[in-house]
Amino acid sequence: AQSVSQHNHHVILSEAASLELGCNYSYGGTVNLFWYVQYPGQHLQLLLKYFSGDPLVKGIKGFEAEFIKSKFSFNLRKPSVQWSDTAEYFCAVSPSGGYQKVTFGTGTKLQVIP
Amino acid sequence: EAGVTQFPSHSVIEKGQTVTLRCDPISGHDNLYWYRRVMGKEIKFLLHFVKESKQDESGMPNNRFLAERTGGTYSTLKVQPAELEDSGVYFCASSPLGGDQPQHFGDGTRLSIL
């Protein structure tokens, strides 16, 4: 069975600071990787996904993530955060191909201070 | 297109009572998933429908939980009788059949058992 580990539970940054949220997964086969975001009072939204190809994936709102297969990692990055990035971020993994049972990490709450 | 909709958004009931949650997936999405997030913990998979059939219900906690998807459209999740540990946010997600498709999530139903 797959598992996901997010290293930071709560991150506080000032506006314009750079962001990197760690994510490691455990699974013996080929995977699809996701970052979801939940803004206050809103539903979970897909930020970006990796299925195959270029391991550096660009998502919405200036976010990107890099899949490093040898490290089983899929860290999320943003060069300069904004107050509007305050949200909870979830890393997730599913086996590739066929139907997807998505396994989520515990989430990281990001608070950006103006 | 309309997103995944869930009803109610919040339910407060007493221990021992019955509650039914509803999920309307995006039109045309044959895959429907239920997840649950207990406070402070990760989002956990409950079960997966393909059309009206249960593909995987390995995440259902116990037999007090019953999910249905008659006709392959909307789905209900009934908890009977509810216990304190059932409190949490119940998410529904849907995706189209075929290939690797990301799941689209609803706003969730916050269930509070008193």
Side-chain angles (χ1 to χ4, degrees):
Chain A
Q2 62 263 34
S3 66
V4 179
S5 174
Q6 290 184 241
H7 313 307
N8 313 98
H9 296 295
H10 198 172
V11 173
I12 302 173
L13 293 173
S14 298
E15 274 193 315
S18 64
L19 170 73
E20 180 159 4
L21 301 182
C23 173
N24 286 89
Y25 71 93
S26 173
Y27 182 68
T30 308
V31 295
N32 296 329
L33 294 157
F34 310 86
W35 275 97
Y36 282 88
V37 60
Q38 187 170 26
Y39 297 103
Q42 297 187 28
H43 60 269
L44 273 169
Q45 300 172 40
L46 183 67
L47 201 54
L48 47 80
K49 64 184 186 291
Y50 171 82
F51 285 164
S52 63
D54 188 344
L56 183 61
V57 179
K58 296 203 183 288
I60 60 172
K61 304 186 180 184
F63 286 90
E64 66 177 31
E66 184 175 11
F67 171 46
I68 303 179
K69 191 175 180 180
S70 61
K71 295 184 178 180
F72 297 91
S73 70
F74 191 57
N75 293 354
L76 180 71
R77 299 193 293 250
K78 185 171 183 178
S80 176
V81 295
Q82 301 172 322
W83 176 78
S84 58
D85 293 325
T86 295
E88 191 160 16
Y89 294 80
F90 297 89
C91 183
V93 63
S94 72
S96 61
Y99 102 93
Q100 309 163 356
K101 174 180 175 177
V102 178
T103 299
F104 288 86
T106 51
T108 297
K109 287 185 179 176
L110 171 66
Q111 184 179 356
V112 180
I113 301 170
Chain B
E1 75 183 354
V4 176
T5 56
Q6 292 186 245
F7 182 84
S9 57
H10 194 176
S11 179
V12 181
I13 62 171
E14 292 186 347
K15 175 183 169 182
Q17 290 186 319
T18 298
V19 63
T20 300
L21 313 181
R22 173 171 169 145
C23 168
D24 286 74
I26 292 172
S27 178
H29 282 192
D30 288 329
N31 287 312
L32 187 149
Y33 307 82
W34 284 98
Y35 295 86
R36 176 175 75 172
R37 189 182 192 199
V38 172
M39 190 170 68
K41 299 199 173 179
E42 69 271 29
I43 301 169
K44 282 196 172 178
F45 168 85
L46 295 179
L47 89 159
H48 169 218
F49 284 99
V50 177
K51 298 184 181 179
E52 68 275 8
S53 300
K54 291 177 186 174
Q55 183 77 16
D56 181 352
E57 50 184 331
S58 61
M60 294 288 263
N62 51 61
N63 60 8
R64 294 185 293 102
F65 289 76
L66 175 64
E68 294 181 321
R69 194 183 181 194
T70 307
T73 54
Y74 71 90
S75 173
T76 57
L77 180 64
K78 185 191 316 190
V79 185
Q80 179 182 30
E83 298 290 342
L84 296 178
E85 65 265 24
D86 301 334
S87 295
V89 181
Y90 290 76
F91 293 101
C92 176
S94 71
S95 67
L97 275 181
D100 287 319
Q101 302 274 0
Q103 297 173 23
H104 299 261
F105 283 79
D107 289 342
T109 293
R110 183 173 296 278
L111 179 61
S112 301
I113 313 298
L114 305 179

